[in-house]
Amino acid sequence: MKTTSAKGAVMKQVRKTVRRRILCRERAEKLLESLRTGTGNAYERYRALYALWCSNNGALEELRPLFRIPGIYPDGPLSVTEEFNERVRVVAQQIPPLDPNSKVSSR
């Protein structure tokens, strides 16, 4: 009968965590790119990025400026106007591309 050591279980969990962070960063980069280029609905992309950030903000620290835009409250009521779309796109363009392997540690 094969047994698993505690260290082996921890390493398996670390790999799951790293994999989840990589997938999260890849998804966020696709959404960011859509915002940067103006393709797709800015509001939907913004909300999807906010959902990712809320669930794994440690892996997506670079997104913080999107959710600190004066007058735009991601948890509150949003007025989706051309001004909203433009402000979100401008901030998204200032965020450097998210490298999936960056900010991913095996802690």
Side-chain angles (χ1 to χ4, degrees):
M1 185 167 167
K2 192 174 184 178
T3 61
T4 306
S5 69
K7 184 178 179 181
V10 170
M11 291 304 291
K12 186 175 182 179
Q13 181 63 36
V14 168
R15 283 180 265 161
K16 284 182 182 178
T17 302
V18 170
R19 187 174 67 237
R20 187 177 74 239
R21 285 180 175 228
I22 289 170
L23 292 174
C24 187
R25 289 180 66 80
E26 287 173 347
R27 173 88 174 118
E29 178 55 30
K30 288 177 185 174
L31 291 165
L32 263 177
E33 186 58 30
S34 178
L35 270 179
R36 290 179 189 124
T37 60
T39 58
N41 183 298
Y43 171 76
E44 289 175 4
R45 302 304 187 257
Y46 181 79
R47 295 299 298 172
L49 283 166
Y50 186 64
L52 283 173
W53 189 76
C54 285
S55 67
N56 202 351
N57 62 9
L60 299 168
E61 295 171 13
E62 299 92 339
L63 298 182
R64 187 176 305 273
L66 270 176
F67 312 117
R68 300 289 189 256
I69 300 172
I72 297 177
Y73 307 99
D75 280 335
L78 291 172
S79 294
V80 182
T81 62
E82 277 306 312
E83 180 185 0
F84 168 85
N85 293 338
E86 186 60 29
R87 290 174 74 190
V88 168
R89 284 188 181 114
V90 166
V91 173
Q93 290 170 346
Q94 296 170 355
I95 297 172
L98 300 177
D99 176 8
N101 296 312
S102 172
K103 299 272 185 193
V104 177
S105 67
S106 58
R107 290 189 267 170

